[in-house]
Amino acid sequence: MTLTNFDMETPAGVLVPRLQPWEIMGWPSKQRRSIYRSWAQHLAAKSNHTMALKYFDKCIEDQVSDDFLTLFMRSKFNRLVARPEAALADSKMASQIAGQWKASVNIQIVDALHDLNQFEENKMMIHNNVRMNVGNKKLPFNQRLTIINENFKDNVGDSLSPFFLKNAAKLAVIHEQYLQPRKPVEPTFRWQVLKEKNECDVLSFVEKRNMRVSPMEAAWSKRKTKVFFQTYFQQTWADIAFLKALRSNPTVVLDKYYSSAGERREMMDDCYEHVKKFCRMLHARSPMYNEVYRRLDNTEMSARFHQANMFRIQYQTRRNMLSILRTITALREQEDIGRLRKYVEKVMAEYNVLKTRRVMPWKTEFMNEVYNHLALSLCESYRLPKYKVSPYDNNSMCHLLGVSPLKPTEHRHMVFGDRSTYAYEDSGESFEQAKAFKRSKFALEKRLYFAKQPIERSYLLYELADAHMAQNQQLRCLLYAKKSIDEARRCNSKIWEFLATMLQAKSHAILCKFERQAEVLNGAYQLAKELKSPRLCTFIELCRMLNRDYMTLRKMSQLVATKRLRSRMSHRSLNDSG
């Protein structure tokens, strides 16, 4: 049928389907399958996997029952693009119609089972085909039988016994959590469960619980993943780590600027999943304990190397700790409290939490030393001013304690057409400050969740209270300061109890709560006496005197206001009577 005849035979009022020139020609079914198959092979060789799979599918949709060649070729293609499940399905379909070529198709099934790490089924099928075939058809199965026997030797051979002896204590936990069969749970609706418990269910929202991972566990998992890729990919593990980091890199994804961000992320995720699948295949054939067993033939020598490496890490850790303490001492001498607080936060959040007591036996002493140095530096900021303090200035207490008084929010006037006067929610200095506050708050709360030492918890609660006070959230500041005082009393740390008490004093000064301020300052004075610091006692006494003057002036102003009100009322009554 020619193109002209096709146009003539198209009925009026019917849209002509958009077809390619070779689709218009009336090719026989066998010829059309041959064309699609040839194109699919060419595109697969050019690494155009999407189009190759498309033409493989078109060829199979149009095939007859006795054509197994396309299924066989698509099975090979699926193995090439790391899709062993699809390859196995195509191979099984092809084996049912292969006829005399069934041995070649069975080889493909054996390879697909091996890619899926189904070694038992693989070995059974190889033995069946070895018995069924003779001559040259038997040789490929014998070669694969040798490979699968070596895989079994690597998995359950001589390397398995030392691994079980080393991890015998963990086997019971692994069996209970992962291997023990569990009873199937019948699916029930949330409202039915809550009805049985006599609880209210308004919208049936399922609560999502975020899994919190400690910094030690996260570092351990990162290290194990790195060793895992290094074992099987050797020098190319850096490329895999780079690919893993690219998936969450905002510079690469650009999800806020281009609509193709989802495609880029999906492509990188697919590439990383292929790498992980290939690595799991290698791990199933030769597990990690077998690779370690191969490298370490002499166990006594490896134990000595391990012990020497441990001593080297301990020595380097001790040197790093001494360097940290020297840096903290230098910052204290420079009286740079801002840099000192940032440095302590960085050291304790990124270095100290990743050290176990095996490599840092003196971890508690080091933490006490660092936090006490920081507390002493914070106490040095409370000193007598060089200017005259007047109780007639309402902001004198705030200036004396080193905090800015509370100011009302300025009203911004927006001018139509002037973009500089517009207020955007996701831009501006206040937006950046809010983002920085959220990041710091999240980091401190995460550290607080995993912190065990009371002095560390007292420090973290103090930082949270200070961050909330910087955002003018005084009630939250008082709450966290009270918790910090409780933790400081648990570890008998007077200096951190004093600092948290002074945070309460700052909040009360901003809120102008003089009576509570007097109670807090009295407690701070007692702590300063227990710390045996005359300078702090003098400073607190000055604050107490200023607070008493504030209270006196407020009482006098109240008396004057009361007298004025009474005089006005008396004049009004006289006028009414007259």
Side-chain angles (χ1 to χ4, degrees), residues 94-225:
S95 66
Q96 297 175 2
I97 54 177
Q100 61 178 346
W101 303 101
K102 191 170 184 179
S104 301
V105 179
N106 287 342
I107 292 175
Q108 194 70 16
I109 295 176
V110 167
D111 292 339
L113 288 172
H114 193 255
D115 292 344
L116 287 170
N117 304 325
Q118 299 179 12
F119 299 140
E120 294 83 358
E121 292 81 357
N122 188 8
K123 188 173 176 64
M124 290 167 56
M125 189 165 188
I126 290 174
H127 280 290
N128 292 335
N129 283 273
V130 166
R131 287 194 298 269
M132 287 189 299
N133 297 292
V134 293
N136 292 332
K137 291 183 178 180
K138 194 176 180 180
L139 292 178
F141 293 103
N142 286 331
Q143 294 174 358
R144 285 160 175 78
L145 183 61
T146 304
I147 294 173
I148 196 65
N149 287 335
E150 290 297 322
N151 292 148
F152 272 98
K153 183 179 178 181
D154 291 339
N155 278 274
V156 294
D158 298 335
S159 60
L160 185 61
S161 299
F163 176 74
F164 271 119
L165 291 175
K166 184 179 179 181
N167 299 278
K170 303 176 183 178
L171 296 179
V173 179
I174 294 174
H175 180 268
E176 292 179 359
Q177 292 183 355
Y178 302 104
L179 302 179
Q180 189 175 8
R182 300 179 181 178
K183 296 181 179 179
V185 180
E186 297 182 358
T188 56
F189 294 101
R190 181 177 172 82
W191 64 269
Q192 292 179 346
V193 177
L194 294 176
K195 183 179 179 181
E196 294 175 357
K197 296 181 180 179
N198 294 325
E199 295 181 4
C200 178
D201 178 31
V202 181
L203 297 176
S204 296
F205 285 153
V206 179
E207 182 181 0
K208 295 182 179 180
R209 295 184 179 180
N210 296 326
M211 294 295 294
R212 294 189 178 184
V213 181
S214 66
M216 187 82 71
E217 293 177 354
W220 179 83
S221 177
K222 185 178 180 181
R223 175 63 181 167
K224 288 295 182 182
T225 305

Side-chain angles (χ1 to χ4, degrees), residues 313-485:
I313 294 174
Q314 286 182 351
Y315 178 64
Q316 184 61 44
T317 302
R318 181 178 180 274
R319 293 182 61 185
N320 292 341
M321 291 166 62
L322 294 177
S323 175
I324 290 169
L325 292 176
R326 284 195 298 268
T327 305
I328 291 175
T329 305
L331 291 175
R332 280 194 63 194
E333 293 176 355
Q334 297 174 9
E335 296 183 357
D336 194 346
I337 298 179
R339 285 181 57 194
L340 178 59
R341 293 178 71 171
K342 291 181 180 179
Y343 182 74
V344 169
E345 181 181 1
K346 181 179 179 181
V347 166
M348 303 306 287
E350 299 178 4
Y351 181 77
N352 185 71
V353 295
L354 303 181
K355 297 298 179 182
T356 61
R357 299 193 181 277
R358 190 178 181 186
V359 298
M360 189 188 286
W362 44 90
K363 187 174 182 179
T364 303
E365 292 79 0
F366 175 71
M367 292 171 59
N368 289 332
E369 191 76 14
V370 170
Y371 289 134
N372 287 334
H373 272 294
L374 177 62
L376 290 172
S377 299
L378 292 172
C379 287
E380 290 173 0
S381 63
Y382 298 114
R383 59 187 66 181
L384 294 176
K386 297 181 180 179
Y387 55 88
K388 184 178 179 181
V389 178
S390 173
Y392 295 100
D393 184 6
N394 294 330
N395 298 328
S396 293
M397 180 67 78
C398 295
H399 295 319
L400 186 60
L401 294 174
V403 292
S404 57
L406 184 62
K407 294 182 179 179
T409 305
E410 298 181 359
H411 180 69
R412 298 189 60 177
H413 296 279
M414 298 175 58
V415 180
F416 180 75
D418 188 359
R419 296 177 64 89
S420 61
T421 61
Y422 295 170
Y424 298 98
E425 295 182 356
D426 57 347
S427 63
E429 184 179 356
S430 59
F431 174 72
E432 296 298 331
Q433 291 178 358
K435 282 180 61 178
F437 168 70
K438 289 181 180 178
R439 285 195 297 266
S440 62
K441 178 187 173 185
F442 177 77
L444 290 172
E445 288 179 346
K446 184 178 179 181
R447 286 182 61 190
L448 182 64
Y449 182 81
F450 295 104
K452 296 180 180 179
Q453 298 294 333
I455 190 170
E456 184 179 12
R457 294 181 61 83
S458 179
Y459 157 75
L460 294 172
L461 289 166
Y462 174 86
E463 290 291 341
L464 279 169
D466 191 45
H468 282 289
M469 187 174 63
Q471 295 293 319
N472 287 328
Q473 300 177 5
Q474 306 304 329
L475 296 180
R476 289 183 176 272
C477 173
L478 292 171
L479 177 63
Y480 281 113
K482 181 64 173 65
K483 292 181 179 179
S484 179
I485 291 173

Side-chain angles (χ1 to χ4, degrees), residues 250-296:
T251 308
V252 178
V253 178
L254 296 175
D255 52 350
K256 293 184 178 180
Y257 302 97
Y258 300 99
S259 59
S260 60
E263 299 177 1
R264 273 193 301 276
R265 187 183 288 107
E266 184 179 358
M267 180 188 67
M268 290 187 290
D269 290 341
D270 290 342
C271 292
Y272 187 67
E273 286 298 325
H274 290 165
V275 171
K276 286 202 304 182
K277 184 180 291 186
F278 180 64
C279 197
R280 283 195 293 266
M281 290 165 56
L282 296 177
H283 174 69
R285 297 172 188 181
S286 178
M288 284 283 294
Y289 57 81
N290 184 65
E291 296 291 332
V292 174
Y293 184 79
R294 283 180 182 177
R295 293 197 302 265
L296 303 177

